[in-house]
Amino acid sequence: MTDFVGRRRELKELREDIARTGLDTLSGRKAKAPRARVLLVAGRPGSGRTALAEAFVREIAAQYPDGVLRTRLTAPGGDTVATERAVRALLEGLGQPTPPGAGEDELSSALRTALDGRRAIILVDDAADPQQVDALLPDNPECLVVVTAEGPLTGIPDVRPCTLGGLDTPSAVELLAQRIGDTRVTADPRAAEALAEECGGQPAALVLLGGWLAARPKASVADVAKRLHDLPAGAGGPLARGFRLVYESLPQPAQRTLRLLPLAPAGIVDSHTASALAGCSVAAAQSTLDDFAGLGLLRQAQDGLYLLPGCLAPLLQALLEAKERPGEVQLARARMLERTVRLLHSCRAMAATDEDGLRELLDGLPRALRFPDRRAAETWLDTRLPALSAAASLAVADGELDTLARRLVAALVRALADHRGTAEAAPELYGLHRLVLDVAERRDLHREQAAALLNLADLDAETGRTQEALERYRAALDAGRAANDPYATGRAMESVGGAYQELADWHRASDWFGRALSQALARGERADEARLYGRLGNVHTYAGRYGDALRSWRAAAAGYRKLADVPGQAKALSEMARVQEYAGRPEESLHTCREAVELARKAGDQRLQAALQVRLADTLDRLGDPAAARLHRSAADRLLGDDPAACEIRSTSD
């Protein structure tokens, strides 16, 4: 079923506007840089601006072979969508990676680069201000940007709005007939025209009244027109009066469910959300949502999802505030968040690789909250992610549900990491770790604060923002000390050293690795000791302090030997051999390298064996024994073939 009819004049105007000469050219001014043409569809909520924009895009899509990208700048509840999130959505639509933690400017630049040379349409729905739109505009005149908004976008040059009023009477009657069929319209065409005029041709009001009639096959168009006319004068405009008529016709339980829907994060509803909010069964909630969709109170989306129309959100919010006590609202929100946490646990459980782990994770969860298989869980996570992210943000912003908020964020982090992997989920994880940090700082939870800062800093470091990572690692160290958490402090000190190493500040790097090593030695943490000796060895090597480097690598090798970690010991010895060669001691390097080869053979690490054989060959070449060098290269080839990249040695501290 479509709710779009008429608007032929507006569609013609938009088509003509694509080719219209720019105002800068007409006025004799030269534009600073070529940018995409921006078309604006302006109209009040409920005027059908989004339907018109979608219909227009469908008409011209064939002229833009690189496709249509969509994003929304205002959530159904009225909250502005962060520009950063909108740009990420567009980049993901282009199949482009989005670095975690990247700011608005960096993402906007990446979007413009990705759209360079493409011919695509960007449909921007419900823009709140021109600054939001400006961040999305490509520097490519071959692209077209179609924006819907309530009013003009002052500040974006050369934008002439296509302003919508009500539908003409024939189109309004046609829309009504789409909802209820032709029979009742044909039986009383004058009543249909009167109803269209009573609604001012407003599509959203006609959809609601058509839904009311569709649910009552025996009611006539004149019946609903009379009911609408008889409503008190203070009932508001056509949309408000149509909504009131539909709302008051609902049973009391359905009215309450509808009133609570503004609590649904991002205006996205499914049967579990409605069930938790209303405190009813999932089956009853599903039936109610289906009824709401038939009445035009919700829009049905994919995979059991429903969207709350933005034009109805203020009306529902007013009902929520007038009819529901604050305590009941908070209880409903808590039920919804608790249900979300349990669904996330169930979703994560489906990523378990063994039956015992799966049974343990599902223990205590009712059947209604379980997924049939991993694919179903992944589909649920993907389709609900905007709502899940919004739920986490709302829970943190609430301030009174911090325990639930922390559980929700933790469950979402684990589900994303288990299903997508940390690298792929990094952009979402970055935002979630920031939410954890917000709660931890508000509640003075120093241990959680340290963990969040470490996680954020790691993501900063992985994307090349080393200075930002360094600042966060230092803040994590302070939080770890405040929490008296030796793990967090040790990890932070080592990470500070790693950041200084990345910045090529060898002196500070070795100092911080030394501090972390001292703590590990004091606590008898042998694995940490061996790793940190290796990191010190690396820094000393980069700094040219070969004596210090050899002592550190020798200590690392000894530590791995005590741990019975044969591969670790072999790699540490291979690094020793490298440093000995740098220090001009090739005979010692040859001896150490042979010892490392034997250890690698014991460990069954063919890749390491091959890499060490190549290192032996290089050393023998420098010692003037090319025949022996050829033998070792042949051995490396037999182990892994002729791919030289397979023979690269990675340091134990990497």
Side-chain angles (χ1 to χ4, degrees):
M1 179 184 294
T2 176
D3 291 333
F4 180 76
V5 295
R7 304 292 193 192
R8 307 320 301 172
R9 178 185 60 80
E10 289 88 347
L11 287 169
K12 181 173 181 284
E13 179 184 325
L14 288 167
R15 283 194 300 271
E16 292 173 347
D17 215 22
I18 294 177
R20 185 170 58 90
T21 303
L23 295 179
D24 283 340
T25 304
L26 287 172
S27 62
R29 294 187 306 235
K30 185 178 179 181
K32 293 181 180 178
R35 301 191 85 181
R37 160 73 65 193
V38 180
L39 303 182
L40 172 62
V41 179
R44 294 179 61 80
S47 62
R49 62 194 184 200
T50 299
L52 172 60
E54 288 283 3
F56 173 63
V57 166
R58 285 194 297 273
E59 279 196 6
I60 62 169
Q63 302 170 37
Y64 294 85
D66 292 306
V68 180
L69 304 170
R70 291 174 171 82
T71 192
R72 186 182 178 91
L73 297 183
T74 304
D79 294 330
T80 300
V81 174
T83 305
E84 172 191 326
R85 181 168 288 278
V87 180
R88 281 190 189 280
L90 293 175
L91 283 167
E92 288 167 6
L94 289 164
Q96 298 291 319
T98 56
E104 180 183 319
D105 291 343
E106 183 181 347
L107 290 169
S108 293
S109 177
L111 178 62
R112 292 186 176 105
T113 300
L115 287 168
D116 188 36
R118 295 181 188 248
R119 188 169 172 82
I121 301 173
I122 302 175
L123 178 53
V124 182
D125 195 19
D126 212 358
D129 60 63
Q131 287 76 27
Q132 284 182 304
V133 177
D134 188 66
L136 310 179
L137 296 183
D139 294 329
N140 176 5
E142 296 301 308
C143 288
L144 177 68
V145 180
V146 180
V147 184
T148 72
E150 186 165 353
L153 294 177
T154 306
I156 296 180
D158 198 17
V159 178
R160 184 175 64 187
C162 173
T163 305
L164 298 188
L167 291 168
D168 59 82
T169 300
S171 296
V173 172
E174 182 184 348
L175 178 58
L176 186 64
Q178 282 186 356
R179 305 290 293 183
I180 66 173
D182 294 330
T183 303
R184 282 181 280 182
V185 171
T186 305
D188 196 348
R190 291 186 176 230
E193 290 172 0
L195 180 60
E197 291 172 6
E198 185 75 24
C199 291
Q202 190 174 27
L206 287 162
V207 166
L208 287 173
L209 295 171
W212 187 91
L213 282 167
R216 294 164 177 78
K218 295 184 179 180
S220 69
V221 176
D223 289 337
V224 75
K226 183 177 185 306
R227 286 172 179 266
L228 194 65
H229 186 269
D230 290 344
L231 285 173
L239 180 61
R241 287 186 291 133
F243 172 77
R244 177 169 173 176
L245 179 67
V246 173
Y247 170 77
E248 290 180 351
S249 70
L250 295 172
Q252 288 294 328
Q255 286 186 2
R256 183 166 185 272
T257 300
L258 185 63
R259 289 197 300 268
L260 292 169
L261 290 188
L263 300 177
I268 300 172
V269 189
D270 65 8
S271 55
H272 280 289
T273 303
S275 164
L277 286 172
C280 65
S281 71
V282 175
Q286 182 63 59
S287 175
T288 301
L289 294 179
D290 289 339
D291 290 343
F292 288 167
L295 289 166
L297 295 166
L298 292 175
R299 296 190 186 120
Q300 197 158 8
Q302 82 284 7
D303 297 308
L305 292 178
Y306 299 82
L307 304 179
L308 187 66
C311 60
L312 299 184
L315 301 171
L316 289 170
Q317 186 64 39
L319 276 174
L320 177 69
E321 294 170 2
K323 300 280 188 180
E324 299 292 330
R325 293 192 298 271
E328 288 295 323
V329 171
Q330 193 72 324
L331 181 60
R333 184 181 284 115
R335 284 196 306 266
M336 178 184 65
L337 295 177
E338 180 64 39
R339 176 73 60 86
T340 305
V341 171
R342 300 182 79 188
L343 284 165
L344 283 166
H345 285 320
S346 179
C347 177
R348 182 191 175 206
M350 300 313 298
T353 55
D354 63 280
E355 287 294 328
D356 290 339
L358 177 62
R359 279 195 295 271
E360 182 180 348
L361 288 168
L362 289 177
D363 186 40
L365 280 175
R367 188 168 298 278
L369 300 185
R370 299 186 184 189
F371 296 95
D373 52 41
R374 177 168 183 153
R375 182 183 292 276
E378 287 178 348
T379 299
W380 178 86
L381 183 62
D382 290 342
T383 56
R384 269 67 171 179
L385 188 54
L388 293 169
S389 298
S393 298
L394 290 169
V396 170
D398 183 279
E400 297 180 9
L401 297 169
D402 281 347
T403 299
L404 257 177
R406 289 160 60 199
R407 290 176 56 220
L408 173 57
V409 173
L412 183 51
V413 165
R414 294 188 185 106
L416 283 168
D418 287 355
H419 279 281
R420 294 189 175 185
T422 303
E424 184 183 342
E428 289 292 341
L429 295 178
Y430 197 93
L432 293 171
H433 292 316
R434 283 197 292 199
L435 292 176
V436 172
L437 183 60
D438 289 345
V439 176
E441 289 177 340
R442 185 164 66 216
R443 296 287 184 177
D444 289 329
L445 303 170
H446 299 298
R447 191 185 302 274
E448 286 86 345
Q449 188 178 347
L453 285 164
L454 287 169
N455 287 325
L456 286 167
D458 287 344
L459 292 170
D460 284 331
E462 288 168 12
T463 49
R465 295 190 301 275
T466 309
Q467 196 60 51
E468 291 90 335
L470 179 59
E471 292 171 7
R472 280 197 163 115
Y473 284 135
R474 284 184 170 277
L477 177 60
D478 292 339
R481 285 171 172 162
N484 194 25
D485 184 342
Y487 168 78
T489 54
R491 163 102 149 71
M493 285 189 286
E494 181 179 351
S495 298
V496 169
Y500 278 124
Q501 179 177 330
E502 189 66 27
L503 295 168
D505 189 337
W506 315 125
H507 176 73
R508 285 192 174 92
S510 60
D511 175 49
W512 282 98
F513 286 145
R515 296 187 198 192
L517 176 60
S518 296
Q519 178 172 298
L521 289 167
R523 295 178 58 82
E525 296 163 344
R526 291 187 175 182
D528 291 343
E529 292 171 27
R531 186 185 67 258
L532 287 163
Y533 273 125
R535 301 205 74 168
L536 276 169
N538 252 340
V539 171
H540 290 318
T541 303
Y542 289 135
R545 298 191 292 265
Y546 299 134
D548 291 336
L550 283 172
R551 282 189 288 275
S552 294
W553 281 117
R554 193 172 286 113
Y560 286 119
R561 185 179 66 249
K562 291 175 183 175
L563 290 166
D565 184 346
V566 178
Q569 186 183 356
K571 290 174 186 175
L573 288 173
S574 77
E575 294 298 322
M576 273 186 64
R578 180 164 65 100
V579 176
Q580 286 166 338
E581 190 172 330
Y582 291 163
R585 295 149 67 174
E587 294 288 352
E588 291 180 28
S589 175
L590 194 62
H591 174 77
T592 306
C593 203
R594 282 173 173 153
E595 187 180 350
V597 168
E598 287 303 313
L599 287 169
R601 186 176 292 118
K602 284 183 183 178
D605 190 335
Q606 288 191 331
R607 184 177 293 272
L608 180 59
Q609 278 181 257
L612 289 166
Q613 293 282 8
V614 171
R615 179 166 288 169
L616 273 170
D618 291 342
T619 305
L620 287 164
D621 273 335
R622 281 185 279 275
L623 288 172
D625 191 349
R630 282 195 296 274
L631 288 173
H632 285 289
R633 285 199 176 89
S634 296
D637 290 344
R638 286 193 301 274
L639 285 165
L640 292 175
D642 297 324
D643 180 9
C647 296
E648 177 186 355
I649 298 180
R650 293 192 177 274
S651 165
T652 54
S653 62
D654 289 350

